[in-house]
Amino acid sequence: MANAFCYSSSSFSGVQKARIPPLTSTSKPPPLFDGTTRLYISYLCPYAQRVWITRDYKGLQDKIELVPFDLPNRPAWYKEKVYPENKVPSLEHNGKVLGESLYLMKYIDDNFEGPSLIPSDPAKKEFGEQLISYVDTFSKELYSLKADPIQQASPAFDYLESSLGKFDDGPFFLGQFSWVDIAYVPFVERFQLVLFELFKHDITEGRPKLAAWIEEVNKIDVYTQTRGDPKEILDLFKKRLLESEGLEKK
C-alpha cells in the first residue's frame, strides 16, 4: 500500500489553513488571566497536537484561544507568569493553568460543550482505558529507536494492529472516533513519515487494520488541519538521530 499520509511539502502548504504565527522570546504576553481560556501549544509537539485536535473536534475554536509558541525560542514570561513547568500543552482556564496532554483531553471533554470523545458503552470505556494506559509506553518505544528502527518499531505497530477491529461499528479503536484515536495519531503520523522517508519502510505493510484506520483518520478535517510540516518533522528527527549516534560513540 502507498504511504497513506501522502506527505509532501507542497501538499502540506496546499491543504492547511493559515496558522497564527508562533510567539517567540521577543513576543509580549496576551492579557493573562483576564477570563479568556487559552491553549498553549507548539505546532510540532505531538502532545500539544492531541489537545488541539480535541478542542477543534468539539467545536471550541471560539471558546478556547490557541496560543502557539516557537519552543526553542519561547518567551520567558511563559515560565515566569503562566506555567512554571515551561512545557506545552497547557490550558489557562478559570484562573488556573493545567498541564499534561492526556489529562487536558479529558478535562476539555468533561468541562466544555461539544460531542463527547469518551463512549458511554462500558466495554468500550474499559478497553479505551487500557489503550490509554499503554500510549505513553508506545510513544517511548518509538522515540527510543536506534540501531534497527524498523525492527524496534514493529512491536508498537503490531500492538495497534491487534487492538483495532475489536468493535465492528467502525474502523477506529472503539468503533467510533474517540480520545484513543486522538491520543495515538500524532505519534503514528510522525513515525509513519520518518520510517517511510528515512528507512523506506511502510508501517501499514501486513497491517490492514492499521492501514484502514490511517485512511479514515485522514478524512477527519480537524485532525488533518493540525498535522505537522513534514520537512520540519524530518529535520527534527534527523537531528535527534545524529545526537543519539553521537552519544553512542562517546
Side-chain angles (χ1 to χ4, degrees), residues 114-248:
S116 177
L117 283 163
I118 301 176
S120 57
D121 178 88
K124 291 183 176 183
K125 204 167 186 178
E126 182 181 0
F127 189 55
E129 292 288 351
Q130 291 177 26
L131 292 167
I132 289 293
S133 70
Y134 178 72
V135 69
D136 284 342
T137 301
F138 175 83
S139 61
K140 285 174 185 175
E141 285 179 355
L142 293 179
Y143 276 112
S144 65
L145 300 182
K146 289 179 183 175
D148 189 345
I150 296 170
Q151 185 177 355
Q152 283 181 262
S154 288
F157 292 114
D158 288 343
Y159 176 84
L160 298 192
E161 180 70 13
S162 66
S163 299
L164 288 160
K166 181 177 176 66
F167 301 99
D168 58 9
D169 54 343
F172 303 108
F173 285 103
L174 305 183
Q176 72 263 46
F177 188 70
S178 74
W179 72 316
V180 177
D181 304 288
I182 296 174
Y184 279 94
V185 73
F187 300 99
V188 176
E189 170 191 324
R190 282 158 178 75
F191 285 94
Q192 184 184 30
L193 172 68
V194 168
L195 291 171
F196 186 80
E197 294 293 338
L198 300 186
F199 303 99
K200 308 306 176 191
H201 175 67
D202 180 3
I203 64 168
T204 66
E205 186 176 345
R207 300 185 182 102
K209 288 183 285 187
L210 180 61
W213 178 78
I214 289 172
E215 184 177 351
E216 290 302 312
V217 169
N218 274 275
K219 295 176 183 176
I220 299 174
D221 186 62
V222 293
Y223 158 63
T224 60
Q225 288 299 322
T226 69
R227 277 173 27 182
D229 182 332
K231 183 180 183 304
E232 291 185 15
I233 290 172
L234 286 170
D235 287 346
L236 192 65
F237 274 87
K238 286 175 184 175
K239 181 181 177 184
R240 183 187 292 270
L241 286 169
L242 285 172
E243 289 174 350
S244 175
E245 288 173 5
L247 289 172
E248 289 288 319

